[in-house]
Amino acid sequence: MDNLGMLFALLGAVLAALMAGIGSAIAVGMAGEAAAGVVTDDPSKFGKVLILQLLPGTQGIYGLLIAFLTLTQIGVLGGTSDISLAKGLLYFVSCMPIAIVGLWSALRQARASIASIALVAKRPDQAGKAIIFPAMVETYAILALLISILAVTGIGGLNI
Amino acid sequence: MQEKHYVYAVARIRSKEMQLLDTQFINQLVAAPGYDECLKLLLDKGWGREGSTELEQILAYEQERTWSFISELVEDMSVFNVLLLPNDYHNLKAAIKMVYTGFDDRGLFLSRGTIDADTILKAVKAQDFSLLPEHMSSSAREAYQVLTETGDGQLCDLIIDKAALEALYSAGKEQTDDVLRLFAELKIASSNIKIAVRAQRTGKPLEWIQRALAPCDSLDIEKLSQAAASGLEEIYEYLRRTEYEEGVKELEQSLSHFEKWCDDRLILKIQPQKYNPFTTGPLAAYLLARDNEIRTVRIILLGKLNQLSDQSIRERLRIMYV
């Protein structure tokens, strides 16, 4: 029970990587199906639909980044690993924005990407605009990432 | 997650929609000087097998091509049974008449159905109606008996047509897809309205009309039957109180105007499927759009063949999906 703080902190890091990663995997998979459908009939659109397929993949990277940062902060990757229960819980909570928003935004971004892939299938000249629609969803994943970064890096300095 | 299964299929449909005939091309066809020029335009567009010159062959090939394409994309084609049920009942009608008259012409069968046309023919020949699906067997038996015992082809048709509409109603009710549900409802409602008008014009009694009309959600069959037994104006009056209000003025002109209105209504109602990226809706919409396209091309080419004026052809043209 002495290491309960470490357990919570580690759980937060794992969930950040896990949930955002799962979201991105499902999302990129779905967008990939749509992209394959378009390329089957017109291989020249490969480059355009590939970008749209990759867009929902960023949440997985954000989750990984927060997980890595947390592991560094709590000393799992080296240094001291003396984490109180309160700090452990704070780390856990800090990881939640990117874990939850990462998962959800990836799934929603996939829908926008798929719709944009359909747009490119019909209007390849509008590929630039098509990228903007799913990219808008990215904003909220970035905001969650920012909050998670600020929180995870700030907890170390707290005297609790 | 069910919707995910059609992501690939819908994306392929989006590419295929680019090849659908648009209003501009249809206008080009109508403006072509003659039948041969129209046919050439179609062949240049990639319609039909290479070297095809027969209109019906080209259209049958296009129909088959559409269904083959969809069957490539969808593992369980039973999703589209609603669209194929009318073909089954057409084949049943053809099979019963073929057996009755002894005139064997397989060309009368439609190639796509939920049940193989040869199985239907075998069932009718052997009078073993248990080979047919449950929804079809009792009506097939009844229609066959009526035809063989009374020789009344019209009554035979009525029994089968009613069974077809009832089967469509049940299949439509089971559908989760909006497009297919809409197709079933509109098909039954328009058939009921046409039956009611024809029955009124030929002076059929109320009992006959009540027997012929099939259940549907958008029409009160009892009221429509009563109206049909009373007079044409009563039918129009009743329809003005339903969602088919706008179709009344078309109905007043002719049944073919009303048919066109129904076809256009379906195409307009499925337009939102062009922006739906997930479900079976866009696939069903594509099948209906292709069907509409083939029907329109047939109208134009037969019009050209019969030397109808461009204006006369244009009046019959359906709204295109793209």
Side-chain angles (χ1 to χ4, degrees), chain A residues 101-137:
Chain A
V101 178
L103 171 69
W104 197 241
S105 67
L107 296 177
R108 303 313 290 187
Q109 198 173 25
R111 294 176 74 97
S113 278
I114 290 165
S116 288
I117 286 169
L119 194 162
V120 169
K122 284 191 160 183
R123 307 279 302 267
D125 54 317
Q126 300 298 317
K129 289 175 190 163
I131 291 169
I132 293 172
F133 302 127
M136 299 294 274
V137 187

Side-chain angles (χ1 to χ4, degrees), chain A residues 20-21 23-36 45-62 105-107 109-110 112-114 116-117 130-131 134-135 138 141:
Chain A
S24 278
I26 294 172
V28 173
M30 283 169 74
E33 281 184 51
K45 295 192 178 105
F46 173 74
K48 286 170 181 155
V49 295
L50 183 68
I51 299 167
L52 289 162
Q53 186 203 352
L54 291 178
L55 276 176
T58 50
Q59 283 84 344
I61 300 169
Y62 300 159
S105 67
L107 296 177
Q109 198 173 25
S113 278
I114 290 165
S116 288
I117 286 169
I131 291 169
E138 193 74 16

Side-chain angles (χ1 to χ4, degrees), chain B residues 187-295:
Chain B
K187 178 99 180 162
I188 299 166
S190 65
S191 298
N192 278 337
I193 293 169
K194 284 186 282 184
I195 291 168
V197 170
R198 284 194 190 112
Q200 201 286 323
R201 281 179 184 163
T202 51
K204 298 284 185 208
L206 178 63
E207 297 72 40
W208 190 96
I209 301 168
Q210 283 170 329
R211 189 175 179 187
L213 299 187
C216 80
D217 294 336
S218 53
L219 291 172
D220 183 331
I221 295 312
E222 193 45 45
K223 283 183 183 166
L224 184 61
S225 305
Q226 296 285 352
S230 307
L232 264 183
E233 197 45 54
E234 280 75 8
I235 297 177
Y236 300 154
E237 196 50 47
Y238 166 66
L239 291 176
R240 282 191 191 102
R241 297 196 302 272
T242 67
E243 61 184 86
Y244 305 101
E245 184 191 358
E246 286 173 28
V248 173
K249 61 176 184 292
E250 306 296 331
L251 204 53
E252 283 170 339
Q253 292 191 61
S254 71
L255 277 178
S256 66
H257 278 85
F258 178 70
E259 273 173 18
K260 173 182 152 40
W261 179 81
C262 290
D263 290 344
D264 289 349
R265 182 180 161 94
L266 180 64
I267 291 296
L268 289 173
K269 290 239 178 194
I270 63 172
Q271 291 283 333
Q273 296 304 321
K274 286 195 283 193
Y275 315 107
N276 169 7
F278 297 105
T279 64
T280 45
L283 280 74
Y286 177 77
L287 282 167
L288 291 171
R290 281 286 282 166
D291 197 41
N292 183 57
E293 189 175 83
I294 289 168
R295 193 180 306 123

Side-chain angles (χ1 to χ4, degrees), chain A residues 26 30 33-34 36-38 40-41 111 114-115 118 121-122, chain B residues 3-5 7-8 11-12 14-18 274 277-278:
Chain A
I26 294 172
M30 283 169 74
E33 281 184 51
V38 172
T40 304
D41 286 307
R111 294 176 74 97
I114 290 165
K122 284 191 160 183
Chain B
E3 62 190 16
K4 184 180 164 255
H5 295 154
V7 169
Y8 171 79
R12 287 204 66 188
R14 293 288 171 253
S15 296
K16 284 286 176 194
E17 279 173 3
M18 302 285 288
K274 286 195 283 193
F278 297 105

